Amino acid sequence: MHLIHPISPYEGIAPEDCFFVTNDQMLQLGMGYVTLFYQPEMYPDAPMHIYLKMDAQPAGRNLLLGALLARAEQLRMQNPDIPGRLYTDLSPDDLDMTRFYEKAGFKADDSEDLYHFALPLWPARAPVTCNYSPVSLQNQQEAEAFLQRMNAYRITPMSMDFLNRCMQMEHFLALGYYRGGNAVCEALFTGEGQNVTLVSLYVRRDYRRQGFARAIIGAACDILRPRGVLQISARIYSRNAAQLELMKAADARKIRTVTLLPGTKL
């Protein structure tokens, strides 16, 4: 079997971060890549993240994974003093690949889980003096700035196409608290009928643990409740303590695991 790099970027991935595995007849058995990014806002204890994606037939998996792990280590050594995590994503039903990654040393210590909760009666008043308003999305520049702020607090970036789809739904809401013209906390909701999804919510690090997340959810509920909305859905990362605390405060029910995120420390 052989490993080769693409001759040019593959779907935006640098050639050196991407591998194809072939048999001796040069028939492709699979491909994989790694992507380095930093997320100090969500995971300050391990801000370096390397996402690994692999899709290969069983015969080529071990060779391909070995190459991807070696490349991940090279990326990791660019900043050896920053703690981090190497991870992949799997369907909860994919027992074959779950066992494969477990044998490779990955731990099933993170997941993306779906929660439901009734609209809480939280006060919409911010804990410190801030201006509350809908997010202005009147033009492309404002929309891109909003996405940039939101994506700084996510490990799966939202695209402009996704935001446009959200905006077309019945219960689209983009709200924020601002101080001195700067965003302190913002949230994005969308949905139809009696159900909405809390798509994304962030609080700036210097304003956390002061009640801003509850306040902005309360503000959204004041708008959604008269429209007949009864339930909010949210996807929560199980390693994120702040998100879990928010779900506990809302008396939310875990419905199911959407995605497994097995990984290992760097």
Side-chain angles (χ1 to χ4, degrees):
M1 286 187 290
H2 306 275
L3 288 168
I4 57 174
H5 292 292
I7 60 175
S8 60
Y10 176 83
E11 296 183 356
I13 307 298
E16 60 269 24
D17 296 334
C18 184
F19 296 86
F20 292 90
V21 59
T22 67
N23 61 17
D24 292 338
Q25 288 73 46
M26 299 305 292
L27 295 175
Q28 186 174 314
L29 300 178
M31 63 82 59
Y33 60 85
V34 290
T35 303
L36 170 67
F37 66 97
Y38 293 87
Q39 186 41 276
E41 295 295 341
M42 283 185 65
Y43 298 109
D45 57 328
M48 177 187 289
H49 281 66
I50 299 180
Y51 171 65
L52 182 152
K53 187 66 175 180
M54 186 176 74
D55 183 11
Q57 298 178 28
R61 285 176 187 169
N62 287 327
L63 181 62
L64 182 56
L65 180 63
L68 293 170
L69 292 176
R71 179 55 182 159
E73 182 61 23
Q74 290 177 339
L75 293 173
R76 193 268 175 284
M77 292 310 296
Q78 293 176 6
N79 289 285
D81 298 327
I82 299 178
R85 172 180 170 84
L86 171 70
Y87 76 101
T88 189
D89 59 342
L90 298 172
S91 166
D93 300 325
D94 195 343
L95 300 180
D96 179 38
M97 291 306 294
T98 298
R99 287 191 290 265
F100 174 79
Y101 281 110
E102 286 177 348
K103 290 181 180 178
F106 285 59
K107 295 182 179 180
D109 58 356
D110 195 11
S111 61
E112 186 181 22
D113 302 323
L114 176 65
Y115 283 80
H116 289 170
F117 57 97
L119 275 65
L121 295 169
W122 289 339
R125 184 170 54 85
V128 298
T129 303
C130 291
N131 297 318
Y132 159 73
S133 72
V135 178
S136 180
L137 299 170
Q138 298 301 311
N139 53 53
Q140 184 82 4
Q141 184 178 2
E142 290 181 342
E144 289 177 353
F146 177 59
L147 283 176
Q148 184 176 18
R149 295 193 300 274
M150 280 288 181
N151 286 337
Y153 297 84
R154 296 173 58 88
I155 64 172
T156 53
M158 293 187 294
S159 67
M160 185 61 67
D161 286 343
F162 177 77
L163 178 60
N164 286 333
R165 290 196 299 272
C166 290
M167 294 174 69
Q168 293 169 8
M169 300 186 77
E170 177 185 7
H171 297 310
F172 173 78
L173 285 178
L175 309 172
Y177 287 107
Y178 304 90
R179 196 173 196 187
N182 297 313
V184 170
C185 170
E186 291 180 308
L188 171 62
F189 297 81
T190 196
E192 302 280 353
Q194 296 181 337
N195 302 288
V196 300
T197 296
L198 172 55
V199 178
S200 192
L201 185 157
Y202 78 87
V203 181
R204 248 173 53 189
R205 187 182 305 181
D206 47 338
Y207 287 91
R208 289 178 185 166
R209 308 193 73 84
Q210 299 181 39
F212 272 99
R214 290 196 188 198
I216 202 164
I217 290 175
C221 290
D222 288 346
I223 298 171
L224 295 169
R225 195 174 289 108
R227 298 182 183 178
V229 174
L230 301 178
Q231 179 177 270
I232 298 175
S233 301
R235 292 189 177 190
I236 301 300
Y237 292 108
S238 62
R239 280 198 316 124
N240 189 292
Q243 292 182 355
L244 289 175
E245 288 179 8
L246 187 62
M247 291 300 99
K248 183 178 180 179
D251 197 23
R253 294 180 297 115
K254 179 181 174 180
I255 303 303
R256 61 185 173 89
T257 293
V258 178
T259 308
L260 297 175
L261 300 167
T264 182
K265 292 181 179 180
L266 293 172

